[in-house]
Amino acid sequence: MFAQLTGDKELDRLLQAMPDKLRDKHLKQATAAVIRYIVQPKVKAALNGPIGTKTGNLRKAIKNYAPRARKDWPVAWKLKVDAPHAHLLEFGTQERVTKTGIRRGRIEPGTFAFLRKAFYGSEAEAKAAFIKVLRACIAEQSTKATVARRALR
């Protein structure tokens, strides 16, 4: 999933005036804070319904990490679900029939879509938090992650 942030002219001007490495550091710090403290808790909260409560494996499998930076995409942060059955719940399945002809059911697409609903449901809040954290990082010119946590409180 992908979210794009545009529109804050003052922030864009501040970022363009910075050196590339410093700008990328602040963008990565703000992105990590938003994923960790806004998006990931919402995804885990979406698992409180009919799915994710029996064993807890799906909730435990939600992780976030920073992939290796590329020249064309220097700042990225991924939210990953490592559970082997997560895609079946998110995207649904067709009706399963055994060799003996017994019907084993079907998962309708979108019935248990927890990741997309939580991600896109928190998009506005995440964008506002991203701008808030980024402004705090720029103001303090700090390399510590505590700046991001303080900005979100």
Side-chain angles (χ1 to χ4, degrees):
M1 286 175 223
F2 178 76
Q4 188 173 358
L5 181 70
T6 58
D8 193 338
K9 294 181 186 201
E10 181 187 342
L11 191 60
D12 290 342
R13 186 179 47 75
L14 283 171
L15 290 172
Q16 286 178 353
M18 283 185 182
D20 290 344
K21 284 190 175 186
L22 185 63
R23 180 185 64 231
D24 289 349
K25 180 185 77 173
H26 288 318
L27 287 171
K28 193 174 245 185
Q29 187 177 3
T31 306
V34 168
I35 291 290
R36 282 186 184 140
Y37 303 118
I38 304 291
V39 178
Q40 188 173 7
K42 293 220 184 248
V43 171
K44 287 188 177 186
L47 292 173
N48 288 335
I51 58 169
T53 54
K54 189 172 182 180
T55 63
N57 289 340
L58 194 57
R59 181 178 282 120
K60 289 177 203 164
I62 297 173
K63 306 207 177 354
N64 64 64
Y65 66 97
R68 187 181 303 191
R70 301 184 325 209
K71 288 183 181 179
D72 58 332
W73 199 10
V75 178
W77 205 265
K78 288 189 177 183
L79 185 67
K80 183 177 181 182
V81 182
D82 283 336
H85 63 293
H87 70 285
L88 299 173
L89 294 170
E90 183 72 21
F91 302 113
T93 63
Q94 65 182 8
E95 188 170 16
R96 298 173 306 281
V97 180
T98 63
K99 290 179 184 178
T100 59
I102 299 172
R103 298 183 184 276
R104 292 292 181 195
R106 165 191 173 130
I107 299 174
E108 290 289 329
T111 305
F112 300 115
F114 62 96
L115 190 59
R116 288 176 289 172
K117 286 180 183 175
F119 183 83
Y120 291 120
S122 64
E123 190 172 2
E125 183 183 355
K127 284 182 179 181
F130 179 81
I131 291 172
K132 186 177 180 181
V133 171
L134 194 54
R135 286 185 187 279
C137 290
I138 291 171
E140 292 195 23
Q141 293 290 323
S142 175
T143 60
K144 296 181 181 177
T146 55
V147 176
R149 279 196 295 270
R150 273 187 273 144
L152 288 175
R153 287 185 186 160

